[in-house]
Every structure is written in C-alpha cells, then in structure tokens.
C-alpha cells in the first residue's frame, strides 16, 4: 500500500483553510457593486393573490427594483426530475413551479415578490412596504384529508391532491396479497416517518452576475451539483444557453440533500443581475431556511409482514402516503418511489414484496431527498415490523434476521423488489456487531441500570441501501429525465504535478483529500502533488454532483478510469523516450522501466516530454497528457450494515438516554477510513435526532410551528453517546473499478429503527407491552405510552 | 452612521455601522473577516462565536456599537505566529473534528474559551460546554476527541476514528 494511497487515514488537507477561517462560502463572496435581494413570503399557507402594489416600496431608500410573479409568468417551470406513472398507467400530475408565486401562494414562505436594494437592510425594509392583498383559502395540511377532500385543492385543476398512485412491482400485487392471505402469521404495523428539516448549518445563498459585454451569466450558489443546477436553469427555467452560464458551488456548508435542488431564488438573482447590470446577492436567514429548504421524509405507512411460525419471511406489503408539499422539488417523485420501494426486500430472501405509494400535495414546503432519501423510510418500516414480528413470535431479534438473510453464496441476488444485489455478507456484519457492541454483556448492563431505576433496552437493526446513484440505463427505465454518470479529467501538468477536475462536489465529504489518494495510488506519486478542482462548471467536466452516496463509487471510478487512460498515454511516451515498444514498458512506483534492461524514465520526465514533443512521432502520439473519463456503472452499489443501540428510559419521566450506538458497516473497499468514520458518525447523529428529537410540525392552518432552533430540536453534543463505527467487514462491489460502495447515508438509514427498537425493548423488559411509538420519541410520547401499557 | 473602534486580533480597526448592525455583520461585511459565520437568527447555532474582551460571545447577539472599544478575537487570529495551526486547530484536523467547516470557527472559539476555564475537561463536560454550538456533519464525536487531544488527554482507542482491528472470520 502506498503511503497516502488507497486505505490510508490521511488527515484532510481542506481542514487547514476551514480551521483558519479562510474557507470561501457563497456569502463570503461580495463582488464589486453587489446589491441585495430580499423576498416577500406568504405568511399564510394557501391564498389567492389579489393585488401587489409596489409603488411605496419602489420609493424607499436604496430600492433598485421590485419583481413579482408576473415578471416570470412567461419563463419556464422548475421541473421534477423523475416522471412517475400511476398504477393505471396515467402519468403523474406535475404542476408548474414558478420562480415567484403567481396567482396563488401555496405554503407559508412561498415567495411572491422580491425587492432589490443597495443594502440587505434596505431590501428587507422595502419588502415590509409592499402593499399586498391575498385572499385566504383553506389550507390542505393532513395527507388523508387532502386525498379525501375534492374541493380543497393545492392546485386548482387537481381534485383530490394526488400526484400519483404508484405500485411496485405492480405484477406482484396479487401474488403478495395471496401470500399474505395464506400465511400462518401476519404482523401489521402503522407508523409515521416524521418530517425533518435538513438544516445544513450554512443557509442557502445565491449571487447572480451578468456581463453585458459578453452576455455571460454567472451564478455562485450553495449547490451540491453545479452542472445539474445549470442544466435546470438553462433547459427548463430561464433558457440561458448553457455556454453562457457558469454555475459555481464554492465551499458549501453542508447539504444533506437540501442543496441538490434548483430553487427560485437562483433564477431571481440571475434575472435581476441582468436587468440591473449589477451583481445581486441573496442570503437566506435561518427562518427562511426552515420555511423554504426542501424538507425530508414525511411518510405515513401501513406495513404487513407475513411469515411462517418459525419466522421465515413470506411477504412484505407496504402502503404509504408520501407528502410532496406544495410543489414537486427536483427529486421529490423519485424519493418515495424508486429510492424507497426498490429497497423493501431489505437484506432478506423474502419471495413476495409489494409497495403502494400515494404521493400527496399539501400546503407545506416541498419535500424531497434528505440524507438517505427513501431508503431510511424503507429501512424504518421494515426493521420496525420485523422487530414487532419477532416479539409476537417470541424469536430473538438477531435470530429472526439471521434466519432470513441472503447468504454469501447467493450473489448476485435478485431481490423481490426488483434490484440485483451484487455482494454482501450480512451474517459477518452481525458477527462484528455482536463483538463490538458486547451484546453478551448486555444483561449485566441492564441489571445495573435497573438498580438505578432505569429501563435498559437493546435495539438491533440490519439495513441495505442502493447507492452510488447511477446507472443511467436503469434510472432511465425508472423515469429519470437525466443520466446519472459522473466525470473526471486528469491533467498532468508539464512539471509533473496533477490537476484532477471532478464532477462531484465536496461539501464536507473530503474529496480534496480522498480523490488524490486514488490517483496517487495508481501513479505511485506523492498525493501532495495532486490537486482536486470541483464546483465550477467552467473548469470541470459535466458531472452530476454529490448526493446518494455516489461521489466515490461513481466519480471516484471516473477518476480511476481517467487515470488509467493517462497511464496508457504516458507509457507510450515513455516507450518513445526509451526507443522500445509500449508493450515492453513496466510502470511501477512512479517510474517507467524496461524489465531486464537498465532503461528507465521517471514520471516527471514523461510529463515534461508530453509538453515538449520536439521529436514525437505525431501520427502516433499527440502532445499533452490529459484524459477525461465519463463513468456510468452497471448497477447501484449495495452497502449494508448491522447496528446496535442501548437506551436507558426513565420510567418516571419518559426521558430516553441513548447510552451506546455501534455501527458495523460494509462499504466495500475504504479509501480513507478517517473520512468514512466521520461520515457514519454524522449520519448516526442525524438518525438519532430523527428518532428522539426532530419534529417538523405544521398546525391545521399550515403554519410551521417548528421554524427556528428554539422550536426544532437539533441534536447537540450532549444528546449523543460515543459513536462507535466499524467498517472492517468488506465485500467488494463487483462492478466498479475500486470495489467501493459509498458511506454517506448509512448512519442516517440504519440508526432510527435501531433507537426505536431499543426503546420498545426497554419498555417490554420493564413489563410494558407497547407495540410502537412514533418518532420522535420525546419524553411525553414515551411517558404517555408507559401510562397506557 | 456611527463609527466604532475595536482592537481585532491585535490590530486597531474602525468601521462605520448602522445602529442596528449586529457585531457579526460588522466583522463580516465591514471588516471582511468572513471566517465568522452566520448559521441562524436566534443565537442558537454558535457558528458566530468569537471572543469579546476575553469572553466567548455569539457575535449575532450583540450590536456592533456595543463592541466599541472592545478587544475582539476571531478565528482569523487563532493560528500560531508562524502561520501554522494552533494546538486546538491541529487537534481538530488530527481527529476529524470538522467536515463542511461551516460551524468550525465557532467550535474552535468555543473550545478555546472552554480550555481557558477548564484545562482538562472530561467527555461530559466537553459535551455540556458545546451545547451552544450546533454541528450537523460530525455527530460531535470527532470534535469531542479533538478537544480531549487538545487538552493533552488520551483519546480512548474505541472512541477514536480508527476501528479496532477485528480478526477475519
């Protein structure tokens, strides 16, 4: 293993600038002449815009322009990226999503006007001076009521508010029903996957610029995928030619999904920049972030598990209502369908799976992919109902899972939910977990807790996820409007150092450290000589960005492929320099040599020669040493894991204390174990937050009650236990060149059911027969359950 | 607009502000010290933590005019005189105490204040002291480990980022 190459726990190089306060996030950029945008946002969930009088606002100090929905009535719509058909074959309902609300406002926070002024404060003051009449309409908030009430419509031409009614796999519907009907045991569970606000700590921010000399636009924005944002603005919303629009996602302070999507504010600042001929900047307040960032989860689910009396699984059937909010955010239709339904077989050899999802419009903020995106919802439903089933049948929760695990000799394994898993070893993960979590010692710890008057419980969970989001061929069949490859260019400069331009975007994932490890490993050069360039569409090849635990598996593989091409070219140059055939040249440790001779040339000599080709046979070797690869994999990757959590419940108060959390994951090969551990720990914290703390609450009028950090309980340091992470159990991905699977979402997928299973276990051990408590398991919910059981 | 004077990271600075301008905006927009970040509008996230006259302060919870004549330290002034990372900063890098980096300046400033008060804080004391600083990326484990290391205390092997070796099955 090369020191600093693949598998090395290299410290992150990007840390130095962040630790010095030298990161350059979007809001840290203020081009000369910048003016500021502020948005007028609806304070009611649903209403008809009667009039907007901007005269007074336009006369306020410093005000440069006022925009309303009418200004954008003729531009395009921000689209849903996936087209889903209902069970009967009809296409989903896709409403127009305008830059600014026009005609109606559809959720609290929906922007219907924007003011541009010399300063942020002047813009905000002028927003207050807009004279606006909005006729209130009844708000559609509850999903079941939304489906039932034909007169109360989020979109006027859609009675019943249903976006689609999707079945997966529709051909399995009857067989699954018959299997459940005939099964000796059926466990049923109704549950809510609570709505979450992603809460990247950097609020969204966008700066639009326009150069009247060249007609070029530039958007600097908090984006996880600058090329996707550019494509959406160019092809769907504003029609700016792609070659006249540069999108830059500079340092970005976390995303977790919420910064994948194109938002109207980005189109507004670009349009305003052109009209005013000045840079226009908008920075969200945290309050705006709560109201307008795409939220996550929000499923109401009924799941049935049919099995033999010995616990052998026969069928899983899921019926879900998924909230999509007022408009379709870009991935919102994929998240509850193909990122959820396809995972409903879990890690198990169950023969029958059927999933029905009704997506519902409501007068709430759009809901879209948030860390895990569909897979946490699938895992939560499945692993909760399995736990309930084990309890009903009196089977140990680990034993029932092991009994049904897909076995290592069954790969590739075609799951009953339509995916082909390429590799895994779930028993091995459970073995690691049993040791790392010292499950044998649980009873002693439980007895010790009991002496202190606490109920201690143990929660177990297994998960599988499909990530490395790609492959284009498959997602195309599933309704995606885009391809999901990624791209990298490896440029060897004349002096031998290397620039690697990647389509993935790093906003915490450590690409600037991890990607050079791959190239260094392959070339046998010092990783310090390799720089990563990302986030700027004018510098990088067309890549699809970072989400879905895809960066290493997809973009990392593109880096691998491009580096392979560089080696092929460099070998030709080296052969020419040594006057031998390329077939006779060996390459190792950064040096080209001819075995059996004393001929060799060093890496730096080949790089220099590539740019000083005085004697090249130009018909055989082009000058330069730079290669690009687009990588589109054959399949998703399938990370998996086994998690254990121990909780102490205070029976007097219902307070839950997570006292241990252990994650055993199989990510395939690991490039940088330090970064991977951090990714899992962050996911665990978000999952524990979902399980115990985080609740997005709209009241019956559609007012967001949990719209600040005073009201929305973010996990803080003292809410969390020591997070133990183990990724030593490895089965390689069989179809990408690195054998990697992806680790970004795992912790957030695996931990919520683990925590809830632990609490239910604690209550059961205390003699309280509680079948289920919905997340978040706040003290009042747990206490109430204790009183009733 | 009033003009205020502060000693910022050892240098005398003056800046013109509105009466309503928050100290964090005076630093970021007026003095272009953009290392101090704004993550919320209710003084909850701690991304704007700085030191004013030696005490940790959320710079969004104070008007700039209140800082007239004050001694202010920000993240930009924390490195060693040779430009290298200081002990706390180095520990954050060593123990993967940051990911996106946005909360990081506030975390470093909060840590500096903690260690001034309590040079050897235990795990629970560290977690309690960080209550006012939200990190959405790390799950706080790397941060806690970094603070243990920065205060010269051992980071227990089972808690550090590297998994203990597990024998092959």
């Amino acid at each position: 293993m090369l020191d600093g190459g693949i598998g090395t726990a290299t410290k992150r190089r990007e840390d130095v600038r962040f630790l010095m306060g030298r990161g350059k996030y979007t809001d840290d950029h203020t081009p000369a002449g910048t003016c500021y945008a502020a948005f007028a946002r609806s304070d009611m969930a649903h209403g008809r815009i009667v009039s907007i009088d901007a005269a007074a606002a336009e006369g306020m100090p410093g005000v440069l322009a006022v925009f309303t929905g009418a200004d954008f009535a003729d531009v395009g719509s921000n689209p849903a990226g996936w087209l889903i058909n209902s069970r009967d074959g009809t296409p989903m309902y896709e409403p127009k999503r305008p830059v600014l609300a026009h005609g109606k406002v559809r959720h609290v926070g929906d922007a219907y006007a924007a003011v541009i002024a010399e300063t942020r404060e002047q813009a905000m003051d002028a927003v207050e001076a807009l004279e606006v009449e909005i006729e209130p309409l009844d708000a559609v908030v509850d999903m079941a009521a939304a489906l039932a009430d034909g007169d109360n419509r989020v979109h006027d031409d859609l009675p019943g508010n249903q976006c689609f009614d999707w079945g997966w796999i529709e051909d399995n519907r009857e067989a699954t029903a018959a299997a459940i009907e005939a099964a000796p045991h059926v466990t049923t569970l109704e549950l809510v996957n609570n709505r979450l606000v992603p809460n990247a700590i950097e609020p969204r921010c966008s700066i639009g610029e326009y150069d009247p000399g060249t007609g070029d636009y530039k958007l600097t924005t908090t984006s996880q995928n600058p090329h996707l944002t550019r494509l959406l603005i160019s092809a769907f919303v504003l029609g700016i030619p792609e070659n006249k629009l540069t999108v830059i996602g500079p340092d970005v302070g976390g995303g977790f999904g919420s910064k994948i999507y194109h938002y109207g504010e980005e189109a507004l600042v670009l349009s305003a920049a052109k009209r005013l001929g000045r840079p226009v900047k908008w920075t969200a307040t945290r309050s705006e972030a709560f109201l307008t960032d795409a939220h996550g989860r929000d499923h109401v689910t009924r799941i049935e598990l049919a099995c033999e009396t010995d616990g052998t699984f026969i069928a899983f059937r899921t019926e879900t209502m998924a909230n999509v909010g007022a408009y379709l955010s870009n991935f919102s239709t994929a998240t509850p369908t193909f990122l959820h339904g396809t995972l409903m077989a879990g890690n198990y050899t169950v023969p029958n799976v059927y999933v029905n999802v009704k997506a519902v419009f409501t007068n709430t903020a759009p809901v879209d992919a948030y860390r895990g995106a569909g897979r946490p919802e699938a895992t939560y439903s499945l692993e909760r109902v399995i736990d309930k089933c084990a309890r009903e049948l009196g089977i140990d929760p680990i034993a029932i899972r092991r009994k049904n695990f897909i076995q290592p000799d069954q790969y590739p394994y075609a799951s009953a939910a339509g995916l082909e898993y390429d590799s895994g070893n779930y028993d091995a993960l459970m073995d690691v977990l049993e040791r790392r979590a010292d499950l044998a010692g649980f009873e002693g710890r439980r007895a010790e807790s009991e002496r202190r008057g606490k109920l201690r419980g143990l929660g177990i969970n297994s998960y599988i996820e499909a990530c490395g989001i790609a492959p284009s061929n498959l997602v195309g069949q599933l309704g995606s409007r885009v391809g999901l490859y990624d791209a990298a260019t490896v440029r060897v400069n004349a002096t031998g150092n290397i620039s690697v331009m990647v389509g993935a975007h790093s906003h915490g994932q450590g690409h600037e450290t991890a990607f050079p490890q791959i190239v260094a490993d392959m070339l046998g050069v010092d990783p310090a000589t390799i720089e990563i360039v990302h986030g700027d569409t004018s510098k990088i090849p067309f890549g699809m960005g970072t989400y879905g635990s895809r960066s290493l598996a997809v973009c990392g593989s593109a880096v691998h492929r491009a580096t392979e091409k560089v080696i092929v070219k460099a070998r030709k140059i080296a052969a020419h320099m040594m006057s031998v055939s390329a077939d006779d040249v060996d390459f190792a440790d950064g040096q080209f040599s001819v075995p059996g001779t004393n001929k060799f040339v060093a890496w730096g000599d080949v790089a220099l020669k590539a740019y000083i080709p005085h004697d090249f046979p130009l018909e055989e070797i082009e000058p330069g040493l730079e290669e690009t690869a687009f990588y589109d994999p054959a399949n998703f990757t399938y990370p998996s894991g086994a998690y254990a959590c121990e909780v102490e419940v205070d029976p007097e108060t219902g307070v839950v204390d997570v006292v241990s959390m252990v994650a055993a994951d199989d990510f395939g090969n690991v490039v940088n174990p330090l970064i991977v551990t951090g990714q899992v720990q962050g996911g665990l914290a978000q999952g524990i937050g979902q399980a115990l703390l985080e609740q997005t609450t709209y009241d019956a009028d559609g007012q967001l009650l949990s719209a600040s950090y005073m009201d929305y309980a973010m996990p803080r340091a003292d809410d969390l236990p020591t997070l133990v992470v183990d990724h030593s159990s490895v089965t390689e991905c069989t179809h990408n060149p690195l054998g990697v699977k992806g680790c970004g979402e795992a912790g957030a997928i695996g931990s919520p059911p683990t925590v809830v299973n632990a609490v239910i276990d604690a209550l059961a051990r205390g003699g309280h027969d509680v079948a289920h408590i919905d997340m978040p398991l706040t003290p009042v919910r747990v206490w109430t359950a204790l009183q009733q059981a | 607009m009033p003009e205020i004077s502060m000693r910022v990271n050892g240098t005398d600075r003056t800046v013109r502000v509105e009466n309503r301008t928050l100290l964090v905006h005076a630093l970021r927009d007026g003095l272009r010290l953009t290392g101090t970040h704004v993550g919320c509008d209710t003084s909850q996230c701690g991304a704007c933590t700085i030191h004013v006259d030696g005490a940790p302060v959320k710079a969004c919870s104070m008007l700039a005019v209140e800082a007239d004549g004050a001694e202010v330290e920000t993240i930009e002034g924390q490195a060693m005189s040779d430009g290298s990372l200081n002990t706390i900063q180095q520990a954050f890098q060593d123990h993967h105490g940051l990911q996106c980096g946005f909360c990081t300046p506030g975390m470093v400033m909060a840590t500096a204040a903690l260690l001034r008060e309590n040079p050897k804080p235990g795990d629970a004391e560290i977690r309690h002291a960080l209550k006012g600083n939200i990190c959405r990326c790390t799950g706080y484990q790397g941060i806690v480990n970094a603070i243990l290391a920065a205060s010269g205390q051992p980071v227990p092997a089972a808690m550090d980022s590297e998994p203990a070796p597990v024998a092959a099955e």
Side-chain angles (χ1 to χ4, degrees):
Chain A
M1 186 170 82
L2 176 82
D3 186 31
I6 291 172
T8 310
T10 306
K11 293 172 200 171
R12 300 197 327 166
R13 58 174 74 176
E14 48 269 73
D15 288 359
V16 176
R17 71 172 184 274
F18 296 138
L19 284 160
M20 297 265 205
R22 294 175 183 163
K24 285 279 273 179
Y25 301 87
T26 304
D27 191 49
D28 301 339
H29 296 257
T30 306
T34 292
C35 50
Y36 294 84
F39 287 85
R41 299 186 182 279
S42 177
D43 58 6
M44 64 181 78
H46 196 193
R48 203 168 301 282
I49 300 170
V50 178
S51 63
I52 301 174
D53 182 351
E58 282 167 343
M60 298 274 289
V63 171
L64 300 168
V66 176
F67 292 83
T68 68
D71 293 303
F72 295 95
D74 297 330
V75 308
S77 176
N78 185 4
W82 293 57
L83 302 175
I84 304 297
N85 288 335
S86 285
R87 292 170 45 214
D88 63 6
T90 56
M92 70 182 194
Y93 178 88
E94 184 179 12
K96 180 169 182 180
R97 188 177 184 199
V99 174
L100 290 171
H102 190 46
K104 278 173 75 170
V105 288
R106 293 185 174 86
H107 65 90
V108 171
D110 204 2
Y112 54 82
V115 175
I116 318 298
E118 294 289 347
T119 72
R120 181 175 42 212
E121 291 77 12
Q122 287 170 336
M124 291 167 72
D125 286 347
V127 164
E128 297 298 315
L130 289 169
E131 289 179 22
V132 181
E133 187 184 345
I134 297 178
E135 173 200 340
L137 299 170
D138 287 341
V140 179
V141 178
D142 176 74
M143 283 194 280
L147 289 172
D149 187 348
D151 293 330
N152 201 2
R153 301 174 186 177
V154 177
H155 298 281
D156 291 352
D157 54 351
L158 183 67
N161 300 299
Q162 180 174 284
C163 178
F164 56 74
D165 174 7
W166 178 79
W168 185 258
I169 298 171
E170 196 55 25
D171 288 347
N172 293 353
R173 182 184 179 88
E174 287 177 18
T176 304
I180 292 171
E181 186 71 25
H185 182 86
V186 179
T187 299
T188 303
L189 184 59
E190 293 182 9
L191 48 81
V192 173
N193 203 293
N194 45 324
R195 184 175 180 126
L196 304 174
V197 179
N199 274 310
I201 302 300
E202 178 202 26
R204 286 190 293 122
C205 180
S206 302
I207 304 166
E209 294 176 74
Y210 178 72
D211 182 336
T214 61
D216 289 338
Y217 292 82
K218 183 162 101 175
L219 174 68
T220 306
T221 191
T222 47
S223 176
Q224 301 178 216
N225 32 235
H227 269 114
L228 186 57
T229 299
R230 190 183 72 173
L231 180 65
L232 290 166
I233 292 171
S234 293
F236 292 91
V237 181
L238 295 180
I240 299 169
E242 282 179 276
N243 55 13
K244 302 302 280 182
L245 173 60
T246 294
V247 177
I248 299 173
D251 285 332
V252 171
F256 315 112
S258 67
K259 293 171 182 168
I260 297 171
Y261 324 115
H262 166 54
Y263 292 88
E265 292 91 349
E266 294 170 325
L268 187 286
V269 296
L270 280 173
S271 301
K274 183 178 185 193
R275 189 199 286 185
L276 298 171
R278 291 175 59 178
V280 177
K281 182 185 201 175
W282 165 75
T283 307
T285 62
R286 178 56 56 188
S287 298
E288 285 181 294
F290 270 103
L291 294 175
T292 65
D293 288 0
H295 294 177
R297 317 285 192 259
D298 206 352
H299 286 197
V300 175
T301 294
R302 181 176 193 271
I303 183 166
E304 294 157 285
L305 184 168
C307 63
E308 306 288 356
T309 51
D310 69 355
T312 303
F313 298 157
I314 297 170
F316 303 147
R317 179 166 62 188
T318 304
E319 284 179 50
T320 286
M321 288 186 294
N323 200 336
V324 290
Y327 303 100
L328 294 180
S329 179
N330 302 132
F331 278 31
S332 61
T333 52
T335 302
T337 55
F338 292 110
L339 297 175
H340 165 241
T342 56
L343 274 300
M344 285 307 306
N347 313 46
Y348 309 108
T349 55
V350 60
N352 301 289
V353 173
Y354 178 73
V355 182
N356 174 233
V357 178
K358 293 181 174 70
V360 187
F361 289 105
T362 58
N363 291 118
T364 64
V367 181
D368 206 328
Y370 164 66
R371 200 171 196 165
R375 291 147 289 171
E377 293 91 320
T379 301
Y380 183 67
S381 302
L382 199 50
E383 295 296 317
R384 281 291 302 125
V385 79
I386 289 170
D387 231 57
K388 183 169 183 240
C389 175
R391 208 166 284 287
E392 288 172 355
L393 294 175
I395 302 175
D396 176 80
I398 294 179
I400 197 169
R401 289 175 169 87
R402 285 187 184 271
K403 184 178 190 65
N404 291 283
F405 276 160
I406 298 160
Q407 294 302 306
D409 60 0
Q410 291 179 283
Y411 296 97
Y413 182 83
S415 92
L419 295 177
E420 186 177 283
Y421 303 164
D422 64 337
S423 65
N425 189 339
Y426 311 139
D427 277 311
L429 283 164
M430 199 58 90
D431 294 342
V432 171
L433 183 74
E434 292 198 30
R435 279 197 305 278
R436 286 302 299 257
D438 181 28
L439 297 189
F442 172 75
E443 183 50 37
R445 295 190 292 274
R446 193 203 62 75
E448 193 277 327
S449 298
E450 189 176 15
R451 283 194 290 279
R452 289 184 285 108
K454 298 289 174 65
L455 306 176
R456 195 179 187 106
L458 171 65
I460 297 292
N461 173 57
S462 308
Y463 78 86
I464 184 166
E465 58 165 325
C467 65
I469 299 287
S472 297
N473 178 296
L474 187 51
V475 299
Q477 293 174 47
L478 300 178
S480 173
R481 280 169 157 166
V482 295
L484 282 172
Y485 44 82
D486 221 288
T489 297
V490 175
R491 176 182 299 155
V492 182
N493 299 308
T495 54
N497 58 40
I498 298 166
S499 306
V500 183
M501 282 61 78
V502 295
H505 184 278
S506 189
H507 36 279
Q509 295 86 348
H511 298 171
E512 293 171 33
T513 302
F515 284 163
Q517 293 182 244
I518 299 168
V519 179
D521 205 271
M522 295 175 71
L523 297 181
V525 301
D526 181 356
T529 64
I530 303 165
E531 282 290 324
I532 298 299
V533 178
H534 64 102
D536 182 336
T537 60
S538 68
K539 295 178 179 171
I540 61 173
F542 192 107
M544 296 306 289
T546 290
Y547 41 82
S549 307
R550 69 191 303 277
S551 297
L552 182 61
V554 188
C555 191
S557 294
V559 170
H560 188 281
R561 288 278 173 84
T563 307
E564 281 183 331
K565 290 185 185 180
V566 162
I567 293 171
V568 169
K569 172 87 179 278
R571 188 190 304 274
K572 271 194 202 174
I573 297 170
H576 169 69
M577 292 168 74
M578 294 185 284
S579 303
V580 296
S581 158
D583 294 340
D584 296 332
V585 175
D586 265 8
F587 178 55
D589 301 326
Q591 180 164 288
F592 295 90
S593 60
V594 182
T597 75
N598 59 358
K599 290 182 172 178
F600 70 92
V601 285
W603 173 254
D605 298 329
V606 173
L608 190 61
K609 191 73 181 176
Y611 293 91
I612 309 178
H614 291 165
D615 60 351
F616 266 23
L618 294 172
E619 66 285 359
E620 291 167 32
I621 312 176
E622 289 177 13
L625 191 50
E626 171 174 329
E627 299 287 349
T628 294
F630 282 72
Y631 179 77
D632 200 335
N635 195 350
F636 296 113
T637 62
Y638 298 97
S640 56
Y643 287 12
C645 167
E646 292 183 26
V647 298
E648 278 187 348
V649 178
D650 184 338
E652 300 297 318
T653 62
V655 169
V656 176
D657 186 14
V658 178
V659 289
S660 75
M661 174 61 84
V662 181
D665 296 286
D666 175 1
F667 297 130
N669 293 327
V670 169
V671 171
N672 185 321
L674 186 75
I675 291 174
V676 168
T677 296
Q679 289 291 306
V680 178
Q681 288 170 335
L684 293 173
Q686 290 183 358
I688 294 170
Q690 170 168 29
L692 296 183
L693 299 166
E694 297 180 40
Q695 174 69 51
T696 308
T697 303
Y698 283 95
D699 72 9
D701 296 326
Q703 290 295 333
L704 182 60
L705 302 181
S706 52
S708 82
Y709 288 150
M710 314 284 279
D711 309 293
Y712 184 95
M714 292 281 281
R716 301 187 187 237
D718 64 351
D719 294 314
L720 299 167
T722 297
L723 302 169
V724 177
V725 173
D726 188 308
H727 31 76
S728 62
S729 182
V730 172
T731 61
E732 293 187 6
C733 170
T734 62
H735 56 78
N736 66 42
L738 295 165
V740 299
K741 296 185 175 184
C743 66
E745 296 161 297
I749 293 170
S751 55
T754 316
V755 175
V756 177
N757 289 347
V759 174
I760 299 299
D761 184 63
L763 300 189
R765 290 174 193 272
H768 301 279
D769 182 21
V770 175
H772 180 67
I773 306 173
D774 274 325
M775 301 186 290
L777 274 60
T778 55
V780 67
R781 287 186 180 183
V782 174
W783 185 85
T784 303
L786 279 164
Q787 305 313 303
Q788 291 167 353
Chain B
M1 287 202 296
E3 186 177 83
I4 62 165
S5 299
M6 301 178 285
R7 192 165 175 82
V8 183
N9 299 325
T11 304
D12 291 325
R13 305 290 300 266
T14 58
V15 59
R16 209 167 270 290
V17 296
E18 290 189 53
N19 285 329
R20 62 177 167 176
T21 302
L22 298 174
L23 178 54
V24 66
H25 289 132
L27 292 170
R28 286 181 55 79
D29 302 337
L31 299 179
R32 304 304 302 152
L33 291 171
T34 56
T36 301
H37 296 151
V38 180
C40 75
D41 44 17
T42 52
S43 300
Q44 290 284 306
C45 80
C48 65
T49 304
I50 60 170
H51 296 177
V52 177
D53 293 331
V57 165
K58 290 178 178 175
C60 72
S61 66
M62 191 170 166
L63 294 167
V65 291
E66 293 179 277
D68 191 22
E71 181 96 25
V72 172
E73 285 178 68
T74 71
I75 189 68
E76 286 90 347
Q78 295 300 297
M80 308 293 277
S81 54
D82 67 356
S84 63
L85 299 177
N86 74 13
T87 305
I88 293 168
Q89 292 168 319
Q90 186 61 57
F92 270 69
Q93 187 191 26
D94 292 348
H95 295 275
H96 197 18
L98 62 152
Q99 291 180 22
C100 81
F102 196 79
C103 76
T104 305
M107 288 287 179
V108 169
M109 299 306 289
T111 301
L114 166 66
L115 297 186
R116 216 177 284 161
E117 290 280 309
N118 182 354
K120 301 272 182 204
D123 181 275
E125 289 173 313
I126 292 170
R127 290 177 184 275
H128 182 75
L130 295 179
K131 254 184 117 60
N133 294 73
I134 301 175
C135 172
R136 192 56 151 171
C137 291
T138 62
Y140 304 96
Q141 191 63 57
I143 296 172
V144 171
N145 293 356
I147 297 173
L148 286 170
S151 53
Q153 304 181 86
V155 178
M159 283 173 57
D160 208 351
S161 301
E162 274 297 293
V166 172
E169 292 304 300

